[in-house]
Amino acid sequence: QCGWCGGEGSTMICTKCRLVDYCGVECQTQDWKAGHKIFCAKLPKAVKKAEEKVASFSLSDYTTRNVGTFMVTEAEARRGQILEERAAQDICYDAMDMTKGSTEKLIEILHALGTFPLSTEAWGMLGHFYQFEVDPKGSREKLCCAEALKMHDTAILCARKLNPTWSDDRSDELSWGEIENRPYLRALLGRAQCLKSTGKRDEAIRQAKKIMRLNPGDNQGVRKLLCSWFLEARDTEGCTNLLRKFDTKDDACLAYTDVLLQ
């Protein structure tokens, strides 16, 4: 299907990203002018530049201020709030209100990444953009998921560089109620979904379990995904044990699953 006019029987493909088909040169040219050049050309360059900044991160390159210890992350209480990180987060909030898959939204996300290359939220939103907003067809869906996984992995890397106690084996909770924790939790969930979409179900289940340990209140609805993944893996015991930790009466999907298991 043509990525510009929607017509069937496309005969061309963007040779740069290999994710979009076209009827012909005219449609490809119109789509390029309308914004595909941002996704296809500027996005890879911006990602590469930000990755270099992540690799060479030094706190001294940024501006910090003391914000006390109330409702801040452990790292912020120790080293202060990074002003560029806060500015990038505000830009990301603006991007969240923009049209799904739009060029304007992508530009705003890249703006956030340029403002603070270690923005966990910006990297996570790029992952979400690749996975859910590009809308590729067929085998290219896996290509997008693979790119999305890279973005989420970088988001998690950035979060852990900024918050050293958020290691992979962390056992203490990270409350969803503390807003600063949310970009990291969203990135972990995005990674789990990408793993599942790329056929790595068992790894996705392990990732989802970790999220549940960090955020046992499950404000993200991970238990619903985890239940379906358990059942797909024929792990009825795992699914049953998970359901016993929650009151399923107020959720028709979980209640029905519980009844079937019984």
Side-chain angles (χ1 to χ4, degrees):
Q1 189 178 51
C2 179
W4 176 248
C5 72
E8 299 292 339
S10 300
T11 59
M12 294 180 60
I13 185 173
C14 176
T15 56
K16 202 168 185 69
C17 68
R18 306 198 67 79
L19 292 173
V20 185
D21 293 307
Y22 297 105
C23 296
V25 175
E26 184 178 349
C27 282
Q28 185 177 24
T29 301
Q30 291 298 322
D31 193 31
W32 183 263
K33 291 178 179 178
H36 184 64
K37 63 182 177 182
I38 302 297
F39 175 78
C40 195
K42 292 189 177 182
L43 172 57
K45 291 179 181 178
V47 165
K48 183 179 180 180
K49 183 177 179 180
E51 286 176 337
E52 291 171 354
K53 293 283 188 179
V54 171
S56 62
F57 171 70
S58 173
L59 186 60
S60 62
D61 292 334
Y62 301 95
T63 309
T64 60
R65 69 174 179 185
N66 191 324
V67 288
T69 59
F70 180 68
M71 293 297 288
V72 297
T73 65
E74 299 150 340
E76 285 180 325
R78 185 181 66 256
R79 46 100 168 135
Q81 184 183 74
I82 301 173
L83 300 188
E84 292 85 352
E85 180 183 16
R86 175 50 51 197
Q89 184 66 44
D90 289 340
I91 295 169
C92 287
Y93 285 144
D94 290 339
M96 289 177 186
D97 292 330
M98 294 181 175
T99 303
K100 176 183 175 182
S102 68
T103 300
E104 292 75 19
K105 181 175 182 179
L106 181 56
I107 290 173
E108 199 72 355
I109 296 171
L110 295 182
H111 180 201
L113 207 59
T115 301
F116 186 60
L118 280 84
S119 171
T120 303
E121 194 78 90
W123 284 107
M125 290 182 72
L126 279 181
H128 188 277
F129 197 93
Y130 265 110
Q131 189 177 7
F132 298 110
E133 302 183 44
V134 175
D135 193 27
K137 300 292 187 280
S139 62
R140 293 174 206 162
E141 184 177 356
K142 290 187 176 181
L143 292 176
C144 270
C145 279
E147 286 300 314
L149 185 57
K150 292 178 185 177
M151 302 299 128
H152 288 305
D153 280 342
T154 304
I156 293 166
L157 171 65
C158 291
R160 291 174 178 170
K161 274 181 174 282
L162 296 169
N163 302 273
T165 61
W166 292 4
S167 58
D168 190 48
D169 59 354
R170 180 187 173 94
S171 58
D172 293 340
E173 294 181 15
L174 286 174
S175 170
W176 182 262
E178 295 182 20
I179 296 176
E180 290 77 8
N181 297 338
R182 294 182 184 182
Y184 178 57
L185 293 170
R186 280 192 280 262
L188 291 174
L189 177 55
R191 182 176 190 273
Q193 292 172 309
C194 284
L195 288 169
K196 177 62 172 59
S197 296
T198 52
K200 300 175 182 177
R201 184 187 59 210
D202 292 344
E203 192 175 348
I205 289 174
R206 288 193 293 272
Q207 178 76 80
K209 286 180 177 179
K210 290 178 183 178
I211 300 171
M212 293 292 295
R213 285 198 296 272
L214 292 173
N215 181 26
D218 191 27
N219 311 75
Q220 297 171 275
V222 177
R223 61 186 181 275
K224 288 187 179 182
L225 289 174
L226 197 47
C227 275
S228 65
W229 295 349
F230 273 138
L231 293 177
E232 189 177 308
R234 300 184 182 278
D235 185 356
T236 55
E237 182 180 356
C239 187
T240 300
N241 291 338
L242 177 63
L243 290 171
R244 292 295 166 269
K245 296 179 181 179
F246 296 92
D247 185 356
T248 61
K249 295 178 182 178
D250 296 327
D251 190 299
C253 180
L254 293 179
Y256 184 61
T257 301
D258 199 10
V259 169
L260 291 176
L261 285 171
Q262 294 179 32

